[in-house]
Amino acid sequence: MSFHPEMAYDATFHKSARTLAEPGEPFVYTAEHRARFDEIVTRYPADRKRSAVLPALYLVQHQQGYVTANAMRYVAGLLEMTPADVEDVVSYYTMFYTKPVGRFVLSVCRTLSCALNGAERVTEEICGALGIRPGETDASGTFTLIEVECLGACDRAPVVMVNDGWQERQRPEDVGRLLDDLRTRGEAALTGCVHVIEGGATS
Ligand code: FES
């Protein structure tokens, strides 16, 4: 049971609306990503290789921007899992995308603390500024908007995660400046922490 109102749009990114991933081109890691993968796998017991599935999928997403069905099959083969097991992981976590996304993915938290502090109005402001709905990418290919559940920064609500970093205490009136700053300064414009993720990308 959810306290959220019924969504009036087709929120295809929300994980309750599971869709089949695009098959995509045949996938293999680049030499650099394969070396990174090989190193990551050594952190786990030989009979528990599947424990590396999250970083393995992050590497895929780093390489081609989203995770195709062929990439899931590739990762499944490397980790001795079934493709269905890998698809279960991809479909569970909102940070994995199964179709192309913009340069910046804006993930607005809609769980209790953020909802009570105006997250819905922030989402509406982003929609109005970009001419898109949640689950869509703007015409320039710069921004994708999604709604997600708690990001673990409830004391700084409402929170907008931008790629691997986040923007804290967002108000609707801050949205225009955030979008402009991202266009000009990139993730350096963010006020919250920016993670170092598997694959070496930082900002
Ligand atoms: S409710 Fe939004 S970060 Fe926890």
Side-chain angles (χ1 to χ4, degrees), residues 3 108-116 119 148-160 166:
F3 65 86
V108 182
C109 174
R110 61 176 199 169
T111 307
L112 188 58
S113 294
C114 291
L116 291 175
V148 297
E149 305 304 334
C150 183
L151 293 167
C154 315
D155 58 322
R156 284 156 277 168
V159 177
V160 180
W166 65 56

Side-chain angles (χ1 to χ4, degrees), residues 33-83:
H33 283 157
R34 180 57 199 250
R36 184 75 177 142
F37 169 85
D38 290 341
E39 184 276 319
I40 290 168
V41 165
T42 64
R43 302 174 193 174
Y44 303 97
D47 62 344
R48 307 284 297 179
K49 284 203 295 188
R50 62 190 297 137
S51 300
V53 66
L54 290 180
L57 289 167
Y58 269 126
L59 290 176
V60 170
Q61 196 154 276
H62 251 249
Q63 184 168 319
Q64 66 177 9
Y66 64 111
V67 184
T68 59
N70 276 330
M72 292 183 215
R73 276 192 277 275
Y74 175 76
V75 168
L78 291 177
L79 295 178
E80 297 171 13
M81 301 170 66
T82 68

Side-chain angles (χ1 to χ4, degrees), residues 3 14-15 61 74 77 88 90 100 115 131 143 145 152 179 187 192:
F3 65 86
H14 193 258
K15 294 305 173 180
Q61 196 154 276
Y74 175 76
D88 282 346
V90 172
F143 297 103
L145 172 64
L179 299 179
E187 291 178 32

Side-chain angles (χ1 to χ4, degrees), residues 152-190:
C154 315
D155 58 322
R156 284 156 277 168
V159 177
V160 180
M161 193 162 181
V162 181
N163 295 351
D164 301 313
W166 65 56
Q167 189 75 2
E168 305 166 347
R169 299 187 176 90
Q170 279 299 278
R171 300 168 302 169
E173 56 267 37
D174 297 328
V175 164
R177 189 177 60 217
L178 171 63
L179 299 179
D180 288 343
D181 282 354
L182 287 170
R183 288 188 184 101
T184 57
R185 297 169 53 208
E187 291 178 32
L190 301 178

